[in-house]
Amino acid sequence: MGFLSLSYILFFPVTALVYFLLPGRGRNGWLLAASWFFYLCAGPESFPFLLGAAGVTYAVGLALEQRRKKGLLALALALLIGVLFLFKYLNFGVSLLARGLGAAGLDWSPAVPPLLLPAGISFYLFAAMGYLIDVYRGKVRAQRSFVKYALFLSFFPALLSGPIGRADRLLPQFEETHPFQYDALREGLLRFLWGAFKKLVLADRLAAVVNTVFAAPEEFGTIQVIAAACAFSIQIYCDFSAYSDMAVGSAKAMGFTLTENFRTPYFSRSIAEFWRRWHISLSTWFRDYLYIPLGGNRKGKMRKDLNLLIVFAVSGLWHGAAVSFLVWGLLNGIYQVIGGLTAPLRARVRAGLGLRENGAMTSLWQMGCVFVLATLAWVFFKAGSVSAGLAVLRGMVSGPMWVSPLSGMGMDRWEFLAAGVGFLLLLAVDAWSQTADVTGRVLTATRWIRWCVYLGLLLLVVVFGSYGTGYNAQSFIYGQF
């Protein structure tokens, strides 16, 4: 039941309406039942894992509050990580081991049966681990109500692809009564509609070019391969931020506030800033539960750099069980290490050139560098293997400038025009959001301006959205993680 499916368009209004009509004591039970139904639609075979994770971590949380035993916490975390490894990384680990033994002259190639990857498991297990650590640290109290705790892990807007819930922010909201608020409904629906625009008009349209060129980069010219790589940078931002917009919007319409997952990351002036603006719920999770426990920046420069590389290596593997994801993660870590080492030199160069630290030229140059570096790393994220990623990089620098006709890249001229206009609108809104609350400005504008925005976005989605034979609007890139 993806956000853009007809079933969700029917499911959400019914869920919200019943929620507001029920008395306060029955609302959480209703939301939990609705969330579990939503999850069952993703595949009933995944449900026992969600239920088991909720039951085990609920009990461990209560036990940790009574006696804060580090051994119990370690055992619980090992169990959750072990479950994640079993379903997501077992085949990858066995294949790496087999390759290593093969390089040593030992022939070992066991047959590992394919295992089900439960929907959303990376997201709700990370939420559960964060909860247990917070209870152990005394940051939050263990939740006494199983219904509220299970709802914390299962809340349907964020269940399948985040944002990853934090106990200190989301659990208290299930203690509150959320009366119907027209302004919250308007804000939530506007966010949802903006997410639908980014997904249908931009992300899924650009996917045609990206998939076509990445499948055979040797058949295209350097400009075409570079354009496809840049298109993927925009596609993945639009795809994932669209999901987050629709998740945040769905929750907001019912009075709940989820973590903002994106803050215009491509307006960042460094890779470190980029990761403070991209997938914020995951980045802050790794900061609080891995980077800081490793020592953060408290144990010297070399240890800080090593901690960064460890965190980004783990982040890469979180996204997928493949060496290409590890390379993508390590590249982002290496960027930050090099950025820290070269910061004084770059400051001197800017001073020598007479560029102001916060001047327009400096900012534009830095944002351009961030986009280029991020795009080069995204190549490995998209390619699926290191060799395929290297083939795309070779295609950027070798061969003729242009080979196939424009239509050979997966879109015709009108599709490119629609993508270009959509991108300019996205760029304008993201640029405006640097200095203003765009959603707030729209919602407080005069009625005719508000309705022009509502109907304009709806028209763009309906008329210029990507549809057609074989198209699946429910497919989101981060849904596979």
Side-chain angles (χ1 to χ4, degrees), residues 164-179:
I164 298 171
R166 299 292 284 269
D168 60 329
R169 298 171 195 166
L170 189 53
L171 269 174
Q173 297 185 55
F174 299 129
E175 305 284 350
E176 302 166 352
T177 299
H178 298 274

Side-chain angles (χ1 to χ4, degrees), residues 268-427:
S268 303
R269 296 173 57 186
S270 69
I271 291 295
E273 183 185 357
F274 176 87
W275 280 102
R276 292 193 294 270
R277 292 170 167 235
W278 179 280
H279 203 344
I280 297 167
S281 64
L282 181 66
S283 298
T284 54
W285 196 100
F286 278 122
R287 179 197 66 197
D288 295 342
Y289 302 122
L290 183 57
Y291 177 71
I292 292 176
L294 285 172
N297 58 3
R298 304 186 306 273
K299 298 185 177 182
K301 186 70 173 64
M302 290 186 63
R303 182 63 180 271
K304 174 191 172 183
D305 291 343
L306 177 61
N307 291 341
L308 277 173
L309 292 175
I310 292 172
V311 167
F312 277 93
V314 175
S315 176
L317 289 175
W318 180 91
H319 285 82
V323 176
S324 56
F325 287 109
L326 179 61
V327 170
W328 168 77
L330 285 172
L331 275 175
N332 280 282
I334 291 168
Y335 290 159
Q336 294 198 46
V337 171
I338 294 176
L341 292 173
T342 60
L345 173 62
R346 288 182 288 114
R348 288 197 296 271
V349 170
R350 288 193 297 272
L353 294 174
L355 295 173
R356 290 184 293 114
E357 185 64 31
N358 293 313
M361 288 297 296
T362 302
S363 298
L364 288 173
W365 168 257
Q366 290 172 332
M367 285 187 276
C369 289
V370 167
F371 183 80
V372 170
L373 291 174
T375 296
L376 292 174
W378 284 128
V379 165
F380 292 97
F381 188 100
K382 170 60 181 174
S385 69
V386 175
S387 59
L390 291 174
V392 173
L393 294 180
R394 282 195 299 271
M396 293 182 180
V397 296
S398 63
M401 300 290 285
W402 195 279
V403 176
S404 301
L406 195 64
S407 58
M409 294 178 67
M411 295 196 306
D412 60 26
R413 184 178 304 171
W414 294 108
E415 291 285 309
F416 274 103
L417 180 62
V421 172
F423 173 72
L424 290 177
L425 176 58
L426 172 70
L427 185 63

Side-chain angles (χ1 to χ4, degrees), residues 81 89 108 125 137 170 237 240 260 350 405 407 453-454 469:
I81 294 171
Y89 302 104
W108 184 69
L125 286 188
R137 291 174 175 174
L170 189 53
Y237 167 58
F240 192 25
E260 290 291 344
R350 288 193 297 272
S407 58
V453 173
Y454 302 156
T469 304

Side-chain angles (χ1 to χ4, degrees), residues 205-281:
R205 177 167 276 108
L206 292 174
V209 170
V210 173
N211 294 339
T212 300
V213 176
F214 270 68
E218 68 281 357
E219 297 179 6
F220 297 90
T222 56
I223 293 178
Q224 292 165 297
V225 178
I226 292 172
C230 293
F232 181 69
S233 290
I234 304 303
Q235 179 202 350
I236 192 169
Y237 167 58
C238 289
D239 191 282
F240 192 25
S241 68
Y243 188 97
S244 295
D245 281 334
M246 288 185 274
V248 170
S250 296
K252 177 60 70 175
M254 294 189 295
F256 295 92
T257 301
L258 298 180
T259 300
E260 290 291 344
N261 228 7
F262 291 87
R263 289 198 302 267
T264 57
Y266 289 126
F267 282 80
S268 303
R269 296 173 57 186
S270 69
I271 291 295
E273 183 185 357
F274 176 87
W275 280 102
R276 292 193 294 270
R277 292 170 167 235
W278 179 280
H279 203 344
I280 297 167
S281 64

Side-chain angles (χ1 to χ4, degrees), residues 1-12 15 34-35 37-43 156 160 243 474 476:
M1 193 193 299
F3 284 154
L4 294 172
S5 64
L6 177 60
S7 53
Y8 187 79
I9 302 302
L10 298 174
F11 163 83
F12 178 72
T15 300
S35 296
F37 174 77
F38 177 85
Y39 192 71
L40 285 167
C41 291
F156 70 87
L160 296 181
Y243 188 97
Q474 302 182 53
F476 287 84

Side-chain angles (χ1 to χ4, degrees), residues 31-173:
L31 274 187
L32 180 60
S35 296
W36 281 354
F37 174 77
F38 177 85
Y39 192 71
L40 285 167
C41 291
E45 66 279 359
S46 297
F47 182 71
F49 301 100
L50 174 63
L51 187 59
V56 169
T57 53
Y58 168 75
V60 172
L62 291 174
L64 282 173
E65 186 169 69
Q66 293 174 359
R67 298 186 65 183
R68 289 177 185 166
K69 289 187 174 182
K70 185 177 290 187
L72 177 59
L73 175 65
L75 180 62
L77 294 179
L79 174 63
L80 297 176
I81 294 171
V83 169
L84 190 60
F85 177 85
L86 176 65
F87 290 103
K88 192 170 181 178
Y89 302 104
L90 180 61
N91 281 307
F92 174 64
V94 169
S95 66
L96 284 183
L97 181 58
R99 269 189 262 175
L101 292 174
L106 300 174
D107 184 17
W108 184 69
S109 54
V112 180
L115 297 174
L116 163 77
L117 179 61
I121 189 171
S122 297
F123 293 92
Y124 66 73
L125 286 188
F126 266 46
M129 285 189 279
Y131 166 77
L132 293 180
I133 295 171
D134 285 347
V135 171
Y136 175 79
R137 291 174 175 174
K139 185 177 181 180
V140 299
R141 294 194 62 191
Q143 178 55 244
R144 266 60 179 171
S145 167
F146 177 74
V147 169
K148 292 173 185 175
Y149 177 71
L151 183 54
F152 161 69
L153 288 190
S154 311
F155 190 39
F156 70 87
L159 177 55
L160 296 181
S161 292
I164 298 171
R166 299 292 284 269
D168 60 329
R169 298 171 195 166
L170 189 53
L171 269 174
Q173 297 185 55

